[in-house]
Amino acid sequence: GQVWTDRTDYVASVSNNLGWAEGVEKLFGITVPRRAHYIRTMLTELNRITSHLLWLGTHALDIGAMTVFLYAFREREEILSMFEAFCGARLTTTAFRIGGLREDIPPGFEKQVRAFQARFLDCLDEYEILLTENRIWKKRTIGVALLNAEDAIALGVTGPVLRAAGSNYDIRKAFPYAAYSEMDFKVATQNEGDTYARYLVRLEEMRQAHRIVNQCLDGLPEGPVMAKLPKV
């Protein structure tokens, strides 16, 4: 079962693993240890960053900005190396197990994450210097592909595309899972519903993901990372 969730959207396989694991845990009434919740949340937010960096780099490349692609993939590779250190895979991670984690974070992992965290906000500023006020970028994204909240909801649109249309719906706040109820973060929204608004939302989501990862590291509980499982 779980291994297939990696392939549903292979740039967000950690998030897909979490959705599957939590669904099964809810059905069987399994209580996941708090430490596992924190590690799951941290890895899922790092995955959010890798996913958004792929989006940013290829989006910029399609519009004609090659430098951003090289910058974004530089940071993305760093996070993929963290996934490799944690579970031996970079893309199709199968990161979690029903009931928690296969094993705890490996030696040196926290140091690796903190080194990335220390410089990532500066990297985001670099992307913004290249794009946010760039007149060519703005001309090609502002007012383009307009989608309002009402239409987005009617079409079943979720995530940054919905939040860029003025809706502040975020399942991490509406129905908190993993350790999100213990995290302090802001839901990124814009009202314009155009390509530029979607770009701004994803940038802010990466900043908020950075906040969440720091909170997971700073507040990481002690204890086991696997629940006692029923024999089924």
Side-chain angles (χ1 to χ4, degrees):
Q2 185 160 316
V3 70
W4 295 111
T5 66
D6 292 330
R7 289 149 178 81
T8 315
D9 170 7
Y10 60 82
V11 296
S13 59
V14 177
S15 313
N16 292 330
N17 292 168
L18 184 58
W20 166 253
E22 288 228 352
V24 175
E25 287 152 6
K26 206 173 273 188
L27 283 170
F28 283 98
I30 297 164
T31 303
V32 175
R34 197 156 161 262
R35 182 176 175 86
H37 275 318
Y38 266 68
I39 295 169
R40 283 177 167 191
T41 303
M42 173 172 63
L43 291 167
T44 302
E45 289 304 312
L46 285 168
N47 194 177
R48 187 184 308 278
I49 293 172
T50 67
S51 186
H52 283 6
L53 287 175
L54 178 96
W55 172 86
L56 178 67
T58 54
H59 177 36
L61 194 62
D62 285 345
I63 288 183
M66 187 169 180
T67 308
V68 183
F69 175 78
L70 300 173
Y71 282 20
F73 267 63
R74 175 187 62 191
E75 277 69 71
R76 187 169 183 271
E77 283 298 306
E78 216 172 310
I79 299 177
L80 296 185
S81 295
M82 294 176 209
F83 292 163
E84 192 172 15
F86 175 71
C87 63
R90 294 164 70 78
L91 277 184
T92 49
T93 53
T94 319
F96 311 134
R97 296 294 181 273
I98 306 305
L101 309 173
R102 187 182 64 180
E103 54 195 47
D104 211 329
I105 53 175
F109 184 80
E110 185 178 335
K111 188 179 174 189
Q112 199 179 0
V113 178
R114 286 196 187 276
F116 172 81
Q117 289 287 101
R119 63 179 203 83
F120 183 58
L121 292 181
D122 290 337
C123 298
L124 281 169
D125 290 342
E126 268 188 327
Y127 313 149
E128 288 231 56
I129 287 165
L130 288 166
L131 295 177
T132 303
E133 292 304 325
N134 180 317
R135 66 180 185 270
I136 300 169
W137 180 257
K138 289 174 89 169
K139 191 163 185 172
R140 292 177 182 179
T141 57
I142 291 174
V144 173
L146 289 164
L147 182 68
N148 62 44
E150 191 182 11
D151 288 344
I153 292 163
L155 290 164
V157 170
T158 61
V161 180
L162 176 63
R163 291 189 281 275
S167 168
N168 71 343
Y169 181 76
D170 187 322
I171 203 162
R172 294 171 296 172
K173 294 278 193 188
F175 301 99
Y177 54 96
Y180 286 111
S181 61
E182 299 180 47
M183 299 294 142
D184 179 25
F185 68 99
K186 191 180 84 176
V187 176
T189 57
Q190 292 286 325
N191 294 315
E192 296 77 14
D194 60 6
T195 302
Y196 190 70
R198 292 186 278 275
Y199 157 76
L200 293 176
V201 163
R202 284 185 174 94
L203 279 178
E204 183 56 29
E205 284 198 358
M206 286 194 274
R207 287 196 166 88
Q208 296 303 317
H210 179 272
R211 272 180 78 189
I212 294 168
V213 170
N214 277 345
Q215 289 171 65
C216 289
L217 286 173
D218 295 341
L220 190 60
E222 294 298 325
V225 294
M226 195 65 181
K228 282 196 170 18
L229 297 180
K231 299 293 181 193
V232 175

